[in-house]
Amino acid sequence: MRGAEPIVLGIESTAHTFGVGIATTRHILANVNSVYEPKAGGIHPREAAEHHSKVASEVLIHALREAGLSIRDVDAIAVALGPGMGPCLRVGATLARYLAVKYSKPLVPVNHAVAHVEIAKLTTGFRDPLVVYIAGGNTIITTLVEGRYRVFGETLDIPLGNCMDTFAREVGLGYPGTPRVEEKAMGAKSYIELPYVVKGQDLQFSGLLTKALRLVREGARLEDVCYSLIETAYSMLVEVAERALVHTGKREVTLTGGVARSRLLCRKLEAMAKLHEAVFKPVDPEYAGDNGAMIAYTGALAYASGVTMSVEESAVRPMWRLDQVEIPWSRTAKLLRNS
Amino acid sequence: MEERGSGEEGARALTLSAASRLLEDLGAEWISLLGVGAEAVVVRCRWRSFDAVAKYRVPKPYRDERLDSVLRRRRTVLEAKLLIEVKKLGIPAPTLLYVEPELHILLMDFIPGTRLRDVIVRLDKPEEVFRKLGFYTGLMHERGIVHGDLTTSNVVMVNGDAYIIDFGLGAFTNELEEQGVDVHLMLRSLESTHPSLVPPLYSAFMDGYEEARGAEARRAVEEKVVEIRRRGRYVAERRLKARRSAST
């Protein structure tokens, strides 16, 4: 490897966001994203993919301009191969292969969930946190154990963000659901008991969603239902995070993913962390939602550890789990710290 | 760092003084603090001539007080019911002495012994202990009870008898997944402390399990355990494959 740090361009297209970022193992050089907004209802994978194809070249050019670089200055092309929606993932993967072949650059596979975790570590300065990763498509509590991000708890049915989005859509609060429901909840007068489902370390939100919708249909005050829904969902989540924190004895807690912008959830996690002598800090809000920078940054970490793939190996992986990914750079970081 | 430390001491001290006041109200005399978990404070105490353990579920500042109270009450009652049902099955476990749902506290008798984890290598017939534990686990599962945290740390040895303690994460359920988690947790706790003993002790455990539930249930649970481990969720033993070393 050359003396200078490698510069990696990363492409994100797992769901509603098409993004291109440029990063080294230390710095973000560019972060340009374009979000597909459905006219009605949830994300339609094919329509989102069409959006991504349309904006791809423009986003790429903007990112290079933002970093003040030409594509020739880039050492490797990283791409989020999963988890995500097949048609969306293929847009990013196709662009990555094209760039890799045309400019003779190595290709680096990046797991989208790992990228959310790594960008949180970069922006909080935490070295070994317990990570709560909450977004429209994911609800995972994880931490690094022996070279992998082990899942200590996760949703068994729908993700928390999805639960909020669906509820908000059905009751006419619009999109995105979490901030709308939280805002409405501020006008609550009473608390209504809803299904609180924590199974061991895992969570279930579908019963909660069904009951909340039924209450609204039956004429309960929307503000009260919003409050009870958000309180119940967040309490379930923080409780599982607390168990994981006590079990692992970690000293840092971070929140990443789109829902990391929630001040309410941050306050609850902070209160929990304090009980156990841990510090809490969420990911920088700019990198909370899906973005290209986190793929570039994680790609840079992976590339610096020698992780690359051939074009033949670059098929998309819609069901790629966080805990299937080896994290070789965690070992390197430890060695450096100990030396 | 200092600021954080004092904040934590504040939270911990508050919790402990609340527990201490509760015990006083119940007429119990504090002997020693056994542990502070994610959910509860566990204290050894003297109560009406019993050598007892008090488990107090602490309030959580991060959730609505009404929800917090409902959860703590419900779980205190659930744990009390589990202790009673397990006793009815004849499984060595703490005896429930007293439960006060509104105060989120329960009292059980103290089991004076040593954690299985710490004495495995000194046991006369470890296979026999694990066969019994497997039998007890099978009995619980057959009755629709799962322990939820079945590890060698939650088994106390008293004169050769194995007592199962801490039903705080237990549940009434017949789900195969949760039965599999019980067996998997026992296996994993063995692996993490006594890897060389795993083959004979795990098979003794499953033999006992089969005695309680039959060969069919044993096979189903064993398959579930394999599946849980393959998911990699709780599994730490899969090592990183040798990566290209960081040369040059």
Side-chain angles (χ1 to χ4, degrees):
Chain A
M1 206 168 284
R2 298 182 294 181
E5 278 199 38
I7 297 171
V8 174
L9 180 141
I11 301 168
E12 157 65 30
S13 73
T14 59
H16 52 35
T17 300
F18 183 86
V20 174
I22 300 171
T24 68
T25 57
R26 276 176 231 236
H27 300 288
I28 306 297
L29 307 176
N31 183 29
V32 178
N33 301 286
S34 169
V35 181
Y36 155 76
E37 278 167 21
K39 284 177 199 77
I43 302 173
H44 190 298
R46 188 172 40 76
E47 284 174 13
E50 274 170 24
H51 159 268
H52 295 349
S53 310
K54 267 186 217 138
V55 302
S57 59
E58 197 186 325
V59 170
L60 173 66
I61 290 162
H62 276 197
L64 286 166
R65 196 179 300 149
E66 196 175 297
L69 295 170
S70 126
I71 187 80
R72 291 173 208 286
D73 301 325
V74 167
D75 294 293
I77 308 293
V79 59
L81 289 180
M85 300 175 178
C88 300
L89 289 169
R90 279 188 279 276
V91 177
T94 304
L95 176 62
R97 288 179 208 123
Y98 167 79
L99 293 174
V101 171
K102 173 150 172 143
Y103 298 100
S104 307
K105 306 285 184 192
L107 263 179
V108 180
V110 171
N111 177 291
H112 176 86
V114 170
H116 271 293
V117 174
E118 293 297 348
I119 198 76
K121 285 163 87 168
L122 177 72
T123 67
T124 56
F126 285 165
R127 283 171 166 176
D128 186 21
L130 178 79
V131 182
V132 180
Y133 164 34
I134 313 289
N138 285 284
T139 301
I140 290 175
I141 287 141
T142 181
T143 195
L144 195 70
V145 180
E146 297 190 5
R148 281 183 198 226
Y149 288 109
R150 307 288 166 176
V151 175
F152 276 82
E154 64 186 325
T155 177
L156 296 174
D157 49 28
I158 54 171
L160 188 147
N162 181 302
C163 171
M164 296 302 158
D165 288 346
T166 308
F167 177 82
R169 189 171 71 228
E170 295 287 316
V171 302
L173 288 177
Y175 179 90
T178 306
R180 306 283 174 97
V181 174
E182 278 188 19
E183 200 188 322
K184 205 77 185 160
M186 293 200 270
K189 286 182 184 149
S190 62
Y191 163 78
I192 309 163
E193 201 186 331
L194 293 171
Y196 185 101
V197 189
V198 174
K199 288 186 163 184
Q201 294 281 58
D202 293 321
L203 305 157
Q204 285 184 336
F205 295 105
S206 59
L208 177 62
L209 174 63
T210 308
K211 181 76 194 288
L213 286 172
R214 193 196 307 149
L215 282 170
V216 174
R217 270 200 308 275
E218 288 168 2
R221 251 182 107 233
L222 184 57
E223 288 85 350
D224 293 345
V225 179
C226 284
Y227 175 76
S228 308
L229 173 65
I230 210 98
E231 269 298 318
T232 308
Y234 285 175
S235 296
M236 287 163 56
L237 184 73
V238 178
E239 178 174 10
V240 171
E242 184 176 23
R243 285 188 194 167
L245 186 68
V246 170
H247 183 77
T248 59
K250 303 271 168 160
R251 287 275 156 268
E252 301 159 333
V253 181
T254 186
L255 173 64
T256 192
V259 181
R261 294 194 194 94
S262 162
R263 303 269 290 275
L264 178 62
L265 182 55
C266 286
R267 275 205 303 277
K268 285 178 183 291
L269 282 167
E270 185 163 23
M272 183 279 286
K274 262 194 189 148
L275 291 177
H276 302 283
E277 207 184 326
V279 276
F280 171 78
K281 207 194 272 182
V283 66
D284 180 332
E286 188 188 341
Y287 305 106
D290 294 353
N291 63 85
M294 68 182 193
I295 306 301
Y297 171 64
T298 309
L301 293 174
Y303 182 61
S305 296
V307 178
T308 58
M309 64 178 168
S310 65
V311 169
E312 290 72 28
E313 293 168 316
S314 68
V316 300
R317 307 169 190 174
M319 305 297 284
W320 197 12
R321 283 181 60 93
L322 171 70
D323 52 16
Q324 291 173 324
V325 186
E326 290 168 2
I327 312 293
W329 57 89
S330 68
R331 307 267 159 138
T332 328
K334 209 177 211 170
L335 285 176
L336 286 175
R337 271 208 299 283
N338 292 345
S339 64
Chain B
M1 282 302 276
E2 276 166 27
E3 210 174 301
R4 207 204 309 167
S6 64
E8 152 66 13
E9 269 166 34
R12 191 183 160 99
L14 274 177
T15 304
L16 293 181
S17 73
S20 150
R21 251 178 288 124
L22 267 174
L23 286 183
E24 218 168 281
D25 291 349
L26 293 175
E29 185 193 331
W30 183 298
I31 298 177
S32 62
L33 181 67
L34 294 175
V36 181
E39 206 185 10
V41 173
V42 184
V43 178
R44 186 172 171 190
C45 58
R46 182 153 298 280
W47 182 76
R48 298 190 188 171
S49 82
F50 285 102
D51 191 355
V53 172
K55 182 164 182 179
Y56 166 57
R57 284 186 159 74
V58 301
K60 296 296 175 184
Y62 57 77
R63 59 192 178 206
D64 183 283
E65 276 177 34
R66 292 157 288 190
L67 169 61
D68 189 55
S69 185
V70 166
L71 289 174
R72 289 156 68 213
R73 186 176 62 231
R74 189 185 296 155
R75 288 173 183 176
T76 302
V77 171
L78 174 63
E79 187 170 354
K81 283 183 180 167
L82 287 165
L83 285 172
I84 293 169
E85 288 305 314
V86 165
K87 278 300 240 202
K88 279 196 205 161
L89 293 171
I91 295 169
T95 305
L96 179 70
L97 298 175
Y98 186 75
V99 57
E100 189 68 80
E102 298 309 316
L103 299 179
H104 319 108
I105 196 163
L106 59 81
L107 291 165
M108 54 204 139
D109 66 343
F110 178 72
I111 309 290
T114 327
R115 289 195 301 181
L116 174 60
R117 194 182 80 172
D118 302 329
V119 294
I120 287 181
V121 290
R122 279 182 273 144
L123 292 174
D124 265 352
K125 292 178 181 164
E127 281 89 352
E128 184 51 25
V129 170
F130 276 81
R131 193 196 58 77
K132 262 193 201 163
L133 277 176
F135 182 73
Y136 298 151
T137 307
L139 278 185
M140 285 195 287
H141 290 178
E142 197 61 23
R143 168 67 184 78
I145 292 170
V146 295
H147 182 279
D149 193 16
L150 194 67
T151 64
T152 49
S153 299
N154 279 333
V155 175
V156 175
M157 297 304 299
V158 188
N159 303 325
D161 285 335
Y163 282 70
I164 300 177
I165 63 164
D166 193 358
F167 286 79
L169 289 175
F172 288 101
T173 172
N174 286 302
E175 276 180 44
L176 181 59
E177 167 82 19
E178 305 202 30
Q179 296 170 352
V181 167
D182 267 356
V183 175
H184 162 68
L185 287 176
M186 177 54 72
L187 177 55
R188 191 188 61 177
S189 69
L190 253 184
E191 282 168 343
S192 64
T193 53
H194 302 84
S196 61
L197 298 177
V198 168
L201 297 188
Y202 183 56
S203 74
F205 184 90
M206 290 316 297
D207 288 347
Y209 193 85
E210 183 175 336
E211 277 174 49
R213 302 197 69 195
E216 183 71 12
R218 173 189 184 149
R219 206 177 33 105
V221 167
E222 277 179 335
E223 275 171 19
K224 199 59 177 181
V225 170
V226 171
E227 185 202 315
I228 289 167
R229 297 166 78 80
R230 203 170 27 212
R231 271 185 245 149
R233 281 267 327 241
Y234 316 89
V235 189
E237 73 267 29
R238 285 196 300 191
R239 300 282 164 179
L240 264 179
K241 276 179 282 174
R243 273 268 160 208
R244 175 147 52 107
S245 58
S247 54
T248 65

